[in-house]
Amino acid sequence: MRVLMRGNEAMAEGAIRAGCRCYFCYPITPQGELVEYMARHLPRHGGVFLQAESEVAAINMVYGAAAAGVRTMTSSSSPGISLKMEGISYLAGARLPAVIVNVMRAGPGLGNIAPAQGDYFQATKGGGHGDYRLIVLAPSTVQEAAELVMLAFDLSDRYRVPAMILADGMLGQMMEPVELPEPIPPEKIPPRPWAVSGAKGRPPNVISSFDLDPYRFREILRALWDTYREIEEKEVRWEEYATEDAELVLVAYGTMGRICRTVVRRARKEGLRVGLFRPISLWPFPSEPLRKLAERVPVLLTVELSAGQMWEDVRLAVEGRAKTPFYGELGGVVPTPDEVLREVKKHVHS
Amino acid sequence: MSTVEAKAPAGFAPVYTRPKSLSAARFTYCPGCHHGIITRLLAEAIDELGIVERTVGIAPVGCAVFLYEFFRCDFVQAAHGRACAVATGIKRANPDLIVFSYQGDGDLAAIGTAETVHAANRGENITVIFVNNQIYGMTGGEMAPTTLPGMRTVTTPEGRDVRTTGYPLRMSEMLAQLEGPAYITRQAVFDVRHVQMARKAIIKAFQNQIEGKGFSLVEIVAACPTNLRLSPPEAGRWVAEQALKYFPLGDLKVRE
Ligand SMILES: Cc1ncc(C[n+]2csc(CCOP(=O)(O)OP(=O)(O)O)c2C)c(N)n1
Ligand code: SF4
């Protein structure tokens, strides 16, 4: 059944269908509808909805609920995500699965509530302190938003690595028809023998990110990084659109990826051989497929709602095999397809 | 790290044994530190109530960070000050568990003030053990929010000047004003009588949780002999004579 939903609502419904039963939040625009949806629907599914006193508290409640073995989520927008970074680092260090949704707005500081992509570094390079990564997924449609939230829960469980959905205000607010995926039955959710559930008939379980011995801690982190390498091998996701014969390929994710799809269609109508490469997993970043693309496409134009953050990963992947110009907008300004097309035309000839 | 239990000779019955809910790990506290007494009291309470198999502890950041090594129950190590939020998450996720946090005064009354106040105000059905030693023990004896006026610490080398650093924060009095909490009490462990009273208070705080009464906090005015630069007996006397002036003992809120 297709239903009309906002991106924020679809992410909330996706979480509920994924078996999320503890959700902790602190209000912030532009993800308010997600909070409201959870407040209305999660208790009906026997879940816990709790509005915390801050994002710091909310993420630490997630830490507790994850430790207790429940699928759990929090959502926020950029300034709130900054506050969650301490807790996210602890989740990563303690190997707890959890999902964090960031409906990005423009920053730094209080910035504004318009859509932006300025938190890419924070999401994909760690963000909090220490040597860790998050699984980061970036939807570009409302449908994909629901699906990726569910995938985030599965991946986070499978690898015991927290996962982040990196969306933006545009995607959060827009309404689209969605074919909601089937709920995940409780028995399909992986068991959690490591959770704190009472040390009855087994040795105590301890959830901790702490080890004073550098050699022991090194081993813990080596195991963590082995997991990250496995994720990099198995969980890279991206979409290519009209790249087969392209002379120029746009590289963009999320809302910008969606706008660039329109740009490709317009360019094609004008006879320009333009395609789109849209990373879906921002970490692991689809470096290999992008490198392959760079071997046959002379120009890869990165377009972001930022001063150029993913652009760094594009250049690292391409390593000079193709030209890698950049076009970005700042402060919550979203370029129109025509503006991007104008930029495209600087690099291709009809 | 393990200890050997002394065996009583034939004809003698042991009257002081290691609580069952403690592991074999040796405490990491300094000699004479009140943390050692309080940790043991906690274990005795868990033993007495027979709840070790459904208890989850939350270890703070501070001198009690290794608490998870001392107990035979499940444990979660929390970020500095966040224990009450973590406890909320655990208890809400699984209300059948008995959840306690153990926190120092820097942890609970400085960096974690918001998490503590709001967990108390929500009446979270958890048990909080609050060790008020008027100092940051673990980081080397800096001023805590509870440091007494005029008290020398490494960050108040001339003594705490209330004009620039404020007054000792009476967290329990503040919490007792709220509707949420079921039980707020202040105890001490500097002599046998007070140890026994503190023990009873800890048991009550757990009993409340078992009965679903809600947020219960036992503050214990404690000594950090290392940073007071006093012998353990002198440090105990210092608590009795100096600290209790600012932190009078007794129940601050009891909801029956
Ligand atoms: C976010 C953060 N800030 C600072 C520290 C450093 N730190 C470790 S323990 C501590 C204070 C502990 O004092 P208290 O809570 O009173 O416990 P005590 O050691 O006295 O038992 C501090 C500031 C930290 N670990 N994390
Ligand atoms: S530093 Fe103070 S509080 Fe910490 S263990 Fe030593 S005596 Fe106890």
Side-chain angles (χ1 to χ4, degrees):
Chain A
M1 189 187 68
R2 276 158 83 82
V3 284
L4 194 64
M5 277 187 140
R6 280 183 207 282
N8 283 332
E9 294 166 339
M11 288 189 278
E13 182 58 37
I16 293 172
R17 285 171 184 249
C20 171
R21 287 299 174 268
C22 282
Y23 169 79
F24 305 98
C25 62
Y26 187 83
I28 187 168
T29 308
Q31 55 90 60
E33 297 83 4
L34 207 168
V35 173
E36 288 168 33
Y37 194 95
M38 286 305 236
R40 266 185 282 126
H41 294 271
L42 189 53
R44 280 194 228 149
H45 291 83
V48 174
F49 169 90
L50 184 58
Q51 180 175 332
E53 61 271 25
S54 70
E55 288 86 351
V56 176
I59 192 72
N60 280 284
M61 290 171 186
V62 165
Y63 182 82
V70 171
R71 279 196 164 179
T72 177
M73 182 171 97
T74 185
S75 64
S76 188
S77 177
S78 311
I81 296 292
S82 290
L83 275 181
K84 289 188 195 292
M85 279 299 154
E86 176 198 56
I88 291 173
S89 166
Y90 274 71
L91 284 168
R95 299 293 306 256
L96 289 176
V99 173
I100 302 113
V101 175
N102 181 1
V103 184
M104 285 185 283
R105 53 191 252 180
L110 194 53
N112 63 43
I113 57 173
Q117 296 180 322
D119 303 349
Y120 178 93
F121 284 152
Q122 185 195 50
T124 60
K125 310 293 178 188
H129 61 285
D131 255 330
Y132 77 93
R133 290 288 186 272
L134 299 175
I135 296 168
V136 184
L137 305 174
S140 77
T141 64
V142 175
Q143 177 73 39
E144 202 179 24
E147 287 168 6
L148 289 186
V149 166
M150 295 182 76
L151 177 67
F153 276 101
D154 283 343
L155 295 181
S156 181
D157 269 7
R158 189 173 313 150
Y159 297 103
R160 290 185 65 184
V161 166
M164 180 177 273
I165 298 292
L166 200 62
D168 59 68
M170 183 91 90
L171 189 72
Q173 303 294 321
M174 78 173 44
M175 287 187 100
E176 274 182 337
V178 187
E179 186 77 54
L180 286 167
E182 282 303 306
I184 298 171
E187 62 276 11
K188 286 273 168 62
I189 293 173
R192 289 149 150 78
W194 43 262
V196 292
S197 54
K200 191 174 181 180
R202 60 157 171 78
N205 283 339
V206 175
I207 301 293
S208 169
S209 60
F210 180 59
D211 199 319
L212 272 186
D213 182 322
Y215 291 93
R216 262 199 328 251
F217 195 53
R218 180 177 68 179
E219 292 317 304
I220 292 169
L221 290 193
R222 279 180 172 168
L224 182 61
W225 277 88
D226 285 346
T227 305
Y228 292 159
R229 296 289 166 248
E230 191 187 340
I231 296 171
E232 283 179 325
E233 263 171 45
K234 296 183 183 162
E235 307 298 348
V236 173
R237 286 169 169 81
W238 76 97
E239 183 201 21
E240 286 184 42
Y241 174 58
T243 56
E244 303 76 26
D245 62 340
E247 279 176 32
L248 179 147
V249 166
L250 294 157
V251 186
Y253 70 96
T255 282
M256 210 52 245
R258 178 191 184 99
I259 293 170
C260 284
R261 181 180 279 272
T262 308
V263 175
V264 169
R265 276 198 299 267
R266 288 196 193 166
R268 289 273 165 181
K269 265 193 202 136
E270 294 185 23
L272 301 174
R273 289 191 296 168
V274 175
L276 168 68
F277 184 96
R278 182 173 68 87
I280 296 170
S281 60
L282 299 181
W283 194 90
F285 188 73
S287 302
E288 244 346 278
L290 199 57
R291 198 185 336 266
K292 287 211 185 90
L293 200 64
E295 266 152 23
R296 58 184 170 85
V297 180
V299 187
L300 298 176
L301 174 60
T302 306
V303 188
E304 287 179 77
L305 302 176
S306 81
Q309 298 194 10
M310 180 180 71
W311 188 33
E312 289 193 2
D313 285 335
V314 172
R315 283 179 292 166
L316 277 171
V318 169
E319 283 182 315
R321 287 174 179 81
K323 281 193 192 143
T324 50
F326 176 75
Y327 175 59
E329 267 301 356
L330 298 174
V333 175
V334 181
T336 62
D338 283 342
E339 283 169 319
V340 181
L341 191 56
R342 253 201 309 277
E343 198 63 26
V344 166
K345 286 178 183 164
K346 290 183 190 164
H347 304 282
V348 284
H349 312 282
S350 38
Chain B
M1 286 200 292
S2 69
T3 52
V4 180
E5 284 291 309
K7 273 237 163 62
F12 288 83
V15 291
Y16 189 80
T17 53
R18 197 176 183 77
K20 286 198 187 63
S21 53
L22 285 182
S23 72
R26 214 177 281 241
F27 287 179
T28 44
Y29 309 123
C30 305
C33 174
H34 284 187
H35 269 305
I37 303 170
I38 299 160
T39 302
R40 186 191 157 93
L41 289 183
L42 186 52
E44 287 178 4
I46 291 170
D47 277 8
E48 177 152 337
L49 295 165
I51 52 173
V52 70
E53 290 185 335
R54 59 183 184 118
T55 294
V56 175
I58 297 159
V61 172
C63 286
V65 66
F66 285 115
L67 215 59
Y68 58 81
E69 291 196 346
F70 308 155
F71 281 84
R72 289 188 202 277
C73 64
D74 283 359
F75 248 95
V76 177
Q77 202 292 314
H80 194 22
R82 316 296 177 219
C84 280
V86 175
T88 299
I90 298 170
K91 188 75 183 183
R92 296 282 183 125
N94 186 352
D96 294 336
L97 296 173
I98 302 296
V99 182
F100 76 87
S101 75
Y102 181 110
Q103 302 176 252
D105 42 352
D107 196 79
L108 182 139
I111 194 166
T113 309
E115 286 79 7
T116 309
V117 169
H118 288 275
N121 193 45
R122 288 189 301 266
E124 293 295 340
N125 191 25
I126 58 172
T127 302
V128 177
I129 311 298
F130 167 31
V131 180
N132 170 4
N133 60 9
Q134 305 101 55
I135 201 98
Y136 283 20
M138 183 177 230
T139 37
E142 296 85 356
M143 182 188 74
T146 44
T147 293
L148 305 184
M151 184 175 157
R152 284 175 201 273
T153 70
V154 297
T155 50
T156 55
E158 305 301 325
R160 181 175 189 173
D161 182 348
V162 294
R163 291 170 306 174
T164 53
T165 62
Y167 292 84
L169 195 67
R170 294 191 183 98
M171 197 67 177
S172 291
E173 278 82 348
M174 284 167 57
L175 296 176
Q177 302 306 307
L178 304 173
E179 299 288 331
Y183 180 47
I184 308 282
T185 186
R186 184 182 286 123
Q187 305 288 330
V189 292
F190 55 80
D191 65 17
V192 176
R193 189 171 69 88
H194 286 95
V195 167
Q196 292 309 334
M197 287 165 64
R199 186 172 177 278
K200 279 198 193 120
I202 293 172
I203 290 172
K204 185 177 168 69
F206 275 107
Q207 195 69 50
N208 283 350
Q209 186 177 162
I210 293 166
E211 291 166 15
K213 284 193 178 153
F215 190 89
S216 298
L217 178 143
V218 182
E219 172 177 348
I220 296 169
V221 187
C224 163
T226 299
N227 287 301
L228 282 173
R229 292 174 172 74
L230 294 173
S231 72
E234 286 169 337
R237 273 197 295 281
W238 189 88
V239 168
E241 287 160 17
Q242 303 300 323
L244 295 197
K245 279 191 216 160
Y246 286 89
F247 300 109
L249 303 183
D251 290 347
L252 290 149
K253 176 163 191 195
V254 184
R255 193 173 60 207
E256 285 311 332

